[in-house]
Amino acid sequence: MPLTETIKRPSLHEELVDRLRNLVVEDALKPGEKVPEKALCESFGVSRTPLREALKVLASEGFVVLQANRGARVATVTRQELENTFPVIARLEQLAGELACDHIDAAGMAWIEARHDAMAKAFDARDRQSYFQANQDIHQALIHAANNDILKAHHKLLAARVRRARFMANLSDDRWAQAIEEHGRMMEALRRRDGESLGQVMKQHMMNKFAAHIKAIEDEADEGPDK
Amino acid sequence: MPLTETIKRPSLHEELVDRLRNLVVEDALKPGEKVPEKALCESFGVSRTPLREALKVLASEGFVVLQANRGARVATVTRQELENTFPVIARLEQLAGELACDHIDAAGMAWIEARHDAMAKAFDARDRQSYFQANQDIHQALIHAANNDILKAHHKLLAARVRRARFMANLSDDRWAQAIEEHGRMMEALRRRDGESLGQVMKQHMMNKFAAHIKAIEDEADEGPDK
DNA sequence: TGACTGAATTATGAATTCATAATTACACCC
DNA sequence: GGGTGTAATTATGAATTCATAATTCAGTCA
């Protein structure tokens, strides 16, 4: 084992990949829009080379699509894509649940318990913002506890694809209560270190979330597009 | 639906990503080696810009690692990484098996049956080359039949990480026979369109393959490194 | 008036150039 | 002779430049 950690200096393009991905995930760059190369260069204060390198990476991650000689556009997440993505995420979460039970340590357990409490409080207060944060923390902590970097990396990419800011709004009270209940079952299984159960619940939890998203999208479509 | 397909002209860097990834997967560029930027530029007849763009993409895919101001090195696949990767692949294959049973069509079924026969013949003749080709065709066909592009893309990346040419040699007769037997069970399940079973078998098949790889690596290590 | 043609403008992909960090080579000191 | 410090060389990251493809817009003709 090495005596010293190798120093990490985030290179320019790496930083840009993260920043740009955030712009997409946070919905600052809307799906279908063309990525304004020039404007972003100025706004970030870099030249086109590193920015374009970053775009190539984002394209391979699926956040933008490159059109030959016509630049990059923010990828649109189609219904088909959602339907393809969720089952994959669900399986990864299932695996994460199983592994987490094998590998989680006391500190990780304490953190999850704390965030679980915070989530419950946020639910009681109907505080969506806090709820989503705590919820995300828990899922991330479980993924982290699985102690599998490959799993983590792929999960992160897929989760980012699906997590668009606007989904935050689409949470019915029914689904919210159901989600809380599922999280309760997750905690039970985790406390028992019952990986099999935790995996099952997490998988199902994700698929239910999926169904809720689809329903929200369809309701929205029924109301008619607003512009 | 569009009358004409959009013309696909693989942009320079896209082509390079594929070519370079192949060099890594085919073991032409050995793990740990630094990627010779200049030499590759000359060999491909391109300038550094597109090549470096390609390296950034390969880095995000995990095939090379970038070191700030010290260029790129071919990623070494550590034992830890193998141990992390296989369970993830196994889950993806499990999902693929389930979905394939739902979605496979007659043509896909026929192709797999044909390749399965070819694989059996290759086994009888102890023709490793043909066996591996048929085996890979079957797995790819099942992934394809699952009809899920997200699943397919992530599986492709992970499979490439693990598939290093030299693994071809490390197939004991015992494991080979076991693999054939597992493939037989896969075909049975597929013919019955029993997704649950096919998924289970495929998952187990992958984990057994994993165990065989690990064993081969350990045997190799016991014999001592040869240089 | 509307559609088509073609020149002008713009944006993109790739090559080249430039500044700087890292590596190597070498002299000097202990 | 081994080790340290410094200069020369090399390689890398990023900016700039250049050629070309795409788009826009004006002018022409039906």
Side-chain angles (χ1 to χ4, degrees):
Chain A
M1 62 196 79
L3 217 79
T4 59
E5 278 297 310
T6 54
I7 304 170
K8 238 217 195 101
R9 235 176 331 168
S11 75
L12 201 40
H13 100 271
E14 236 171 294
E15 183 75 20
L16 282 175
V17 169
D18 278 341
R19 301 268 220 110
L20 286 175
R21 195 193 296 108
N22 278 344
L23 287 184
V24 174
V25 174
E26 308 289 325
D27 223 35
L29 289 171
K30 299 278 192 302
E33 268 183 13
K34 62 177 180 301
V35 180
E37 228 174 74
K38 208 169 185 177
L40 289 172
C41 282
E42 285 167 15
S43 134
F44 286 128
V46 299
S47 79
R48 282 177 58 217
T49 306
L51 188 108
R52 301 184 80 255
E53 288 173 347
L55 286 177
K56 301 289 191 295
V57 172
L58 290 179
S60 90
E61 293 181 352
F63 290 101
V64 304
V65 284
L66 301 177
Q67 296 165 300
N69 294 315
R70 275 190 286 177
R73 286 180 175 280
V74 179
T76 55
V77 180
T78 64
R79 158 116 187 222
Q80 179 66 46
E81 230 180 64
L82 274 186
E83 288 182 352
N84 286 342
T85 305
F86 269 95
V88 177
I89 296 183
R91 297 310 168 116
L92 295 184
E93 296 235 345
Q94 178 181 21
L95 175 58
E98 295 175 18
L99 294 175
C101 284
D102 295 339
H103 295 114
I104 196 164
D105 59 15
M109 197 66 211
W111 166 249
I112 289 179
E113 289 281 7
R115 297 310 291 155
H116 183 70
D117 286 348
M119 191 184 75
K121 286 201 178 61
F123 174 65
D124 290 339
R126 294 296 187 279
D127 177 350
R128 279 180 154 72
Q129 184 71 40
S130 301
Y131 168 77
F132 274 99
Q133 188 59 55
N135 183 59
Q136 197 178 310
D137 287 348
I138 292 169
H139 281 271
Q140 261 182 219
L142 283 168
I143 298 284
H144 180 78
N147 198 34
N148 182 324
D149 289 342
I150 302 291
L151 169 61
K152 198 183 198 170
H154 283 259
H155 180 274
K156 183 180 167 188
L157 277 186
L158 289 168
R161 290 293 293 283
V162 163
R163 185 196 324 130
R164 285 269 158 90
R166 60 195 161 81
F167 280 151
M168 278 187 46
N170 299 331
L171 182 69
S172 72
D173 280 355
D174 280 357
R175 169 60 195 148
W176 200 350
Q178 185 194 23
I180 287 286
E181 196 268 330
E182 288 162 359
H183 266 268
R185 294 224 305 282
M186 282 165 53
M187 290 308 294
E188 278 174 36
L190 178 61
R191 291 191 194 105
R192 279 185 283 126
R193 300 294 190 276
D194 182 347
E196 184 85 18
S197 296
L198 179 56
Q200 284 296 333
V201 178
M202 285 180 74
K203 177 175 110 176
Q204 197 53 52
H205 177 59
M206 192 50 55
M207 292 313 286
N208 291 343
K209 187 171 173 181
F210 171 42
H213 272 189
I214 291 290
K215 189 173 176 308
I217 288 169
E218 282 180 347
D219 288 353
E220 196 177 319
D222 286 347
E223 287 164 22
D226 53 352
K227 58 172 178 183
Chain B
M1 58 196 79
L3 216 79
T4 59
E5 277 299 309
T6 55
I7 302 173
K8 254 239 180 75
R9 235 176 332 170
S11 77
L12 205 39
H13 100 271
E14 232 171 297
E15 182 77 18
L16 282 174
V17 169
D18 278 341
R19 301 268 221 111
L20 286 175
R21 195 194 295 112
N22 278 343
L23 288 183
V24 174
V25 173
E26 308 289 325
D27 222 33
L29 290 170
K30 300 276 191 305
E33 269 183 12
K34 64 176 180 299
V35 179
E37 227 173 74
K38 210 167 182 177
L40 288 172
C41 282
E42 285 168 14
S43 133
F44 287 127
V46 300
S47 80
R48 281 178 58 220
T49 306
L51 189 108
R52 301 185 77 256
E53 288 173 347
L55 285 177
K56 302 288 191 293
V57 172
L58 289 178
S60 89
E61 293 181 353
F63 291 101
V64 304
V65 286
L66 301 178
Q67 295 165 301
N69 294 316
R70 275 191 287 179
R73 286 183 174 278
V74 178
T76 56
V77 179
T78 65
R79 158 116 185 218
Q80 180 65 47
E81 229 179 65
L82 274 185
E83 287 183 353
N84 285 342
T85 305
F86 269 94
V88 178
I89 297 185
R91 297 312 168 112
L92 295 185
E93 296 233 348
Q94 178 180 22
L95 175 57
E98 293 176 18
L99 294 175
C101 284
D102 294 339
H103 294 115
I104 197 165
D105 58 15
M109 197 65 212
W111 166 249
I112 290 179
E113 290 280 7
R115 298 310 293 154
H116 183 70
D117 286 347
M119 191 184 74
K121 286 200 178 64
F123 174 65
D124 291 339
R126 292 298 187 278
D127 177 350
R128 278 179 155 74
Q129 183 70 42
S130 300
Y131 168 77
F132 273 99
Q133 188 58 56
N135 182 60
Q136 197 179 311
D137 286 348
I138 291 168
H139 281 270
Q140 259 182 223
L142 283 168
I143 298 286
H144 181 76
N147 200 31
N148 181 325
D149 288 342
I150 302 290
L151 169 61
K152 197 182 197 171
H154 284 256
H155 180 274
K156 183 182 167 186
L157 276 187
L158 290 168
R161 290 293 294 281
V162 163
R163 185 198 320 130
R164 286 267 159 93
R166 61 194 162 80
F167 280 151
M168 278 188 46
N170 300 331
L171 181 70
S172 72
D173 279 355
D174 279 357
R175 170 58 196 150
W176 200 350
Q178 185 194 24
I180 286 285
E181 196 268 331
E182 287 163 1
H183 266 269
R185 294 224 305 283
M186 282 165 54
M187 290 309 294
E188 277 174 37
L190 179 60
R191 292 191 194 106
R192 278 186 284 122
R193 300 293 190 279
D194 182 346
E196 183 84 21
S197 297
L198 179 56
Q200 284 296 334
V201 177
M202 285 180 75
K203 178 175 111 178
Q204 197 52 53
H205 177 59
M206 191 52 52
M207 293 313 286
N208 291 343
K209 185 173 172 180
F210 171 43
H213 272 189
I214 291 292
K215 190 172 176 308
I217 288 169
E218 283 180 347
D219 288 353
E220 196 177 319
D222 287 346
E223 288 164 20
D226 53 353
K227 60 174 177 182

